[in-house]
Amino acid sequence: KRERREKREESRSETKGITHMQSLQVGAFSTCFAGRGGPGGCSSSRTCCAPNVQHGQQQQQRRRRGREVGSLSLSSCRSRCTGGRNTRPRAFQEANENKVVTGPTEGKAGAEPGPQATERSGLELEKEAVSVPVPVPVENGAAEVSNLKGSSSSSPPPKKKSALLSRILTALVIGPLAAYCIVSGSSLFAMFIGFIAWQCSVEYIGLMTSKKVSKSFKAPPTLLRRTLSALCVGMIAAANKGIRTGVFETACFILLAMLLVKKSAKKKPKKRKVRFSELTMLIFGLFYCAYLPTFWIRLRGVSIIPTVPPPEILARLLDWMNVEWTVGLLATFISALSVVAADTGAFVGGKLTGRTPLISISPNKTVEGAAWGFVASVAVTLAFNYWFVFPGNTVVAVAFALVVYAASVFGDLIESSMKRAAGKKDSGQLLPGHGGILDRFDSYIFTGVLAYAVLYWWYYWCGTPLSQLIITPPR
């Protein structure tokens, strides 16, 4: 009985010691020094068992995050609590062995720590050493600051290729090619617009099937995506042949019918359901990548003869290329150059004077850059109105510039919102410095529609019969 009683008392004392050690892990220890001990303090320079509540809460938060708790008390407190037994983890033992005292008397030999001194473990010092910059001497006598976490600062970071230079070189290649296609008209211009529509549809499908979008919306099947790209090219070809009635409606019917047949052939009942996101992605993709670009074909195909003949050099060039001098050629050139001037003016003006953000969808755009872009667009239309007397009215020229500029800005913002929804910076990588075709020609998608509308209703107001504005194949 006596042995059992002693074992029971020993187990109770051990349990109390472990419980007391756990309470000490939750709280920190207040430091008392010789002759300066407060209430509950001791007369030695060791750490006593009075916990600090505020630091204890911080220790609890560290434990919740799965980090190591601070070091325990000194060996005297440990022996008092557990009877000389070491119940702490090994990390705590190594931390106490490397304990360093810092404070206002640090660095003085034989000096005792002052009232503001604190005890920090080796683990804490090791954590702080990671974020402390260390000066590294170099040959010229200067000091470079290096971080212990990264590599040495002696080797400079590799220089990135200038994005501006790539952007300029790409524009110098695309600009003359697009100008030649616009002047040539006919099948060459239709092939140029058809390639843009096809590539835009491919990049649109890439945005539509990105991981971020596919989490919340179901993308159409692969067969439907390829059919969408093929229909985009077909609609451009139909517009070049002068066929514009019922083309978009027929293409929509083909896509929706194929979707229903594809879904009904599934074996599992869950996969037979047609989601609303599949319908909207297909119809909007056909409208955005095919129907809107067809208006550039319509705009180029307006065959009204301008009132002013072209200059002699331009007339010889048109004769050599066997191209007629038409309003469609002038209107297409003015619209394209206005967009180029607006983009260039907005980019340069934003870099020089950009301060106020324009809209949250595109943080890089500024109000000052937008103003510069509008001025550049107006300058292009007024120059064409002065040299070629087109459209022949200053007010109409400014209104034309305003409409074209608004279409280019909002076309860019719409494509930026799609990229943001897809979680991508660029829609593709076909054009160095610009991204994809959709990144470069997003400003032109809505421009052709509004430019054709302004031209249509301006000539209608002037008394031109509508039969003369019916689209014919460009010559």
Short mmCIF file of all heavy atoms in Angstrom, two decimals, residues 43-66:
data_model
loop_
_atom_site.label_atom_id
_atom_site.label_comp_id
_atom_site.label_asym_id
_atom_site.label_seq_id
_atom_site.Cartn_x
_atom_site.Cartn_y
_atom_site.Cartn_z
N SER A 43 15.66 37.58 -6.75
CA SER A 43 16.85 38.38 -6.55
C SER A 43 18.00 37.96 -7.45
O SER A 43 19.07 38.54 -7.40
CB SER A 43 17.30 38.28 -5.09
OG SER A 43 17.56 36.92 -4.76
N SER A 44 17.81 36.95 -8.26
CA SER A 44 18.87 36.51 -9.15
C SER A 44 18.69 37.09 -10.53
O SER A 44 17.67 37.70 -10.83
CB SER A 44 18.87 34.97 -9.23
OG SER A 44 17.68 34.53 -9.81
N SER A 45 19.71 36.92 -11.37
CA SER A 45 19.64 37.44 -12.74
C SER A 45 19.05 36.43 -13.70
O SER A 45 19.24 36.52 -14.89
CB SER A 45 21.05 37.83 -13.22
OG SER A 45 21.89 36.69 -13.20
N ARG A 46 18.35 35.43 -13.18
CA ARG A 46 17.73 34.42 -14.03
C ARG A 46 16.27 34.75 -14.28
O ARG A 46 15.68 35.63 -13.67
CB ARG A 46 17.86 33.04 -13.40
CG ARG A 46 19.33 32.63 -13.21
CD ARG A 46 19.42 31.29 -12.52
NE ARG A 46 20.81 30.89 -12.38
CZ ARG A 46 21.19 29.78 -11.78
NH1 ARG A 46 20.25 28.97 -11.25
NH2 ARG A 46 22.47 29.47 -11.68
N THR A 47 15.68 33.96 -15.18
CA THR A 47 14.29 34.21 -15.56
C THR A 47 13.36 33.52 -14.57
O THR A 47 13.52 32.34 -14.29
CB THR A 47 14.02 33.65 -16.97
OG1 THR A 47 15.00 34.19 -17.84
CG2 THR A 47 12.65 34.03 -17.44
N CYS A 48 12.42 34.24 -14.06
CA CYS A 48 11.47 33.67 -13.12
C CYS A 48 10.26 33.12 -13.85
O CYS A 48 10.19 33.16 -15.06
CB CYS A 48 11.05 34.71 -12.09
SG CYS A 48 10.08 36.03 -12.83
N CYS A 49 9.26 32.65 -13.10
CA CYS A 49 8.13 31.94 -13.69
C CYS A 49 6.90 32.81 -13.85
O CYS A 49 5.82 32.30 -14.09
CB CYS A 49 7.76 30.74 -12.81
SG CYS A 49 9.12 29.58 -12.62
N ALA A 50 7.02 34.14 -13.67
CA ALA A 50 5.84 35.00 -13.81
C ALA A 50 5.57 35.23 -15.29
O ALA A 50 6.39 35.79 -16.00
CB ALA A 50 6.09 36.33 -13.11
N PRO A 51 4.44 34.78 -15.83
CA PRO A 51 4.18 34.91 -17.28
C PRO A 51 3.74 36.31 -17.65
O PRO A 51 3.13 37.02 -16.89
CB PRO A 51 3.05 33.90 -17.53
CG PRO A 51 2.35 33.81 -16.22
CD PRO A 51 3.38 34.02 -15.15
N ASN A 52 4.10 36.67 -18.86
CA ASN A 52 3.64 37.93 -19.45
C ASN A 52 2.45 37.62 -20.35
O ASN A 52 2.57 36.86 -21.30
CB ASN A 52 4.78 38.55 -20.28
CG ASN A 52 4.44 39.95 -20.74
OD1 ASN A 52 3.31 40.20 -21.13
ND2 ASN A 52 5.42 40.84 -20.69
N VAL A 53 1.31 38.18 -20.03
CA VAL A 53 0.06 37.80 -20.71
C VAL A 53 0.08 38.22 -22.17
O VAL A 53 -0.33 37.47 -23.06
CB VAL A 53 -1.15 38.44 -19.99
CG1 VAL A 53 -2.44 38.08 -20.70
CG2 VAL A 53 -1.17 38.00 -18.53
N GLN A 54 0.57 39.42 -22.44
CA GLN A 54 0.55 39.90 -23.82
C GLN A 54 1.43 39.04 -24.72
O GLN A 54 1.04 38.66 -25.82
CB GLN A 54 1.03 41.35 -23.86
CG GLN A 54 1.00 41.96 -25.27
CD GLN A 54 1.45 43.40 -25.26
OE1 GLN A 54 1.80 43.92 -24.20
NE2 GLN A 54 1.44 44.04 -26.41
N HIS A 55 2.63 38.73 -24.26
CA HIS A 55 3.49 37.89 -25.06
C HIS A 55 2.96 36.46 -25.13
O HIS A 55 3.19 35.76 -26.12
CB HIS A 55 4.90 37.90 -24.47
CG HIS A 55 5.93 37.32 -25.39
ND1 HIS A 55 6.25 37.90 -26.60
CD2 HIS A 55 6.69 36.20 -25.29
CE1 HIS A 55 7.18 37.18 -27.20
NE2 HIS A 55 7.47 36.14 -26.43
N GLY A 56 2.22 36.05 -24.09
CA GLY A 56 1.61 34.72 -24.14
C GLY A 56 0.60 34.58 -25.25
O GLY A 56 0.47 33.54 -25.88
N GLN A 57 -0.16 35.66 -25.52
CA GLN A 57 -1.12 35.63 -26.62
C GLN A 57 -0.40 35.50 -27.96
O GLN A 57 -0.85 34.79 -28.86
CB GLN A 57 -1.97 36.88 -26.59
CG GLN A 57 -2.86 36.99 -25.36
CD GLN A 57 -3.64 38.28 -25.32
OE1 GLN A 57 -3.45 39.13 -26.18
NE2 GLN A 57 -4.50 38.44 -24.32
N GLN A 58 0.73 36.18 -28.09
CA GLN A 58 1.49 36.04 -29.32
C GLN A 58 2.02 34.63 -29.49
O GLN A 58 2.04 34.09 -30.60
CB GLN A 58 2.65 37.04 -29.32
CG GLN A 58 2.21 38.50 -29.28
CD GLN A 58 3.39 39.44 -29.21
OE1 GLN A 58 4.53 39.00 -29.22
NE2 GLN A 58 3.10 40.74 -29.12
N GLN A 59 2.41 34.02 -28.37
CA GLN A 59 2.88 32.64 -28.43
C GLN A 59 1.78 31.69 -28.86
O GLN A 59 2.00 30.73 -29.61
CB GLN A 59 3.43 32.21 -27.06
CG GLN A 59 4.65 33.00 -26.60
CD GLN A 59 5.94 32.44 -27.20
OE1 GLN A 59 5.87 31.64 -28.14
NE2 GLN A 59 7.07 32.86 -26.69
N GLN A 60 0.55 31.97 -28.41
CA GLN A 60 -0.58 31.13 -28.82
C GLN A 60 -0.81 31.23 -30.32
O GLN A 60 -1.10 30.24 -30.99
CB GLN A 60 -1.83 31.53 -28.05
CG GLN A 60 -1.84 31.08 -26.59
CD GLN A 60 -3.13 31.46 -25.90
OE1 GLN A 60 -3.92 32.22 -26.44
NE2 GLN A 60 -3.33 30.94 -24.71
N GLN A 61 -0.72 32.45 -30.86
CA GLN A 61 -0.90 32.62 -32.30
C GLN A 61 0.17 31.87 -33.08
O GLN A 61 -0.08 31.29 -34.13
CB GLN A 61 -0.88 34.10 -32.65
CG GLN A 61 -2.05 34.88 -32.06
CD GLN A 61 -1.96 36.36 -32.39
OE1 GLN A 61 -1.04 36.79 -33.06
NE2 GLN A 61 -2.92 37.13 -31.90
N ARG A 62 1.40 31.89 -32.55
CA ARG A 62 2.47 31.14 -33.23
C ARG A 62 2.20 29.64 -33.21
O ARG A 62 2.47 28.93 -34.17
CB ARG A 62 3.81 31.44 -32.57
CG ARG A 62 4.28 32.87 -32.77
CD ARG A 62 5.63 33.09 -32.10
NE ARG A 62 6.05 34.47 -32.24
CZ ARG A 62 7.15 34.96 -31.69
NH1 ARG A 62 7.95 34.17 -30.98
NH2 ARG A 62 7.48 36.22 -31.85
N ARG A 63 1.69 29.17 -32.10
CA ARG A 63 1.37 27.74 -32.02
C ARG A 63 0.27 27.37 -32.97
O ARG A 63 0.26 26.28 -33.55
CB ARG A 63 0.99 27.38 -30.58
CG ARG A 63 2.20 27.33 -29.63
CD ARG A 63 1.75 27.09 -28.21
NE ARG A 63 0.88 25.93 -28.12
CZ ARG A 63 0.29 25.54 -27.00
NH1 ARG A 63 0.46 26.24 -25.89
NH2 ARG A 63 -0.49 24.48 -26.98
N ARG A 64 -0.71 28.25 -33.15
CA ARG A 64 -1.79 27.94 -34.10
C ARG A 64 -1.25 27.86 -35.52
O ARG A 64 -1.75 27.12 -36.34
CB ARG A 64 -2.88 29.02 -34.02
CG ARG A 64 -3.66 29.02 -32.71
CD ARG A 64 -4.91 29.85 -32.83
NE ARG A 64 -5.57 30.04 -31.55
CZ ARG A 64 -5.52 31.16 -30.86
NH1 ARG A 64 -4.85 32.20 -31.32
NH2 ARG A 64 -6.14 31.27 -29.71
N ARG A 65 -0.26 28.68 -35.85
CA ARG A 65 0.33 28.63 -37.18
C ARG A 65 1.32 27.50 -37.35
O ARG A 65 1.94 27.35 -38.39
CB ARG A 65 1.01 29.97 -37.50
CG ARG A 65 0.04 31.13 -37.65
CD ARG A 65 0.73 32.31 -38.28
NE ARG A 65 1.84 32.80 -37.47
CZ ARG A 65 1.74 33.80 -36.62
NH1 ARG A 65 0.58 34.41 -36.45
NH2 ARG A 65 2.79 34.20 -35.93
N GLY A 66 1.53 26.72 -36.31
CA GLY A 66 2.40 25.57 -36.41
C GLY A 66 3.87 25.89 -36.27
O GLY A 66 4.72 25.11 -36.66
#
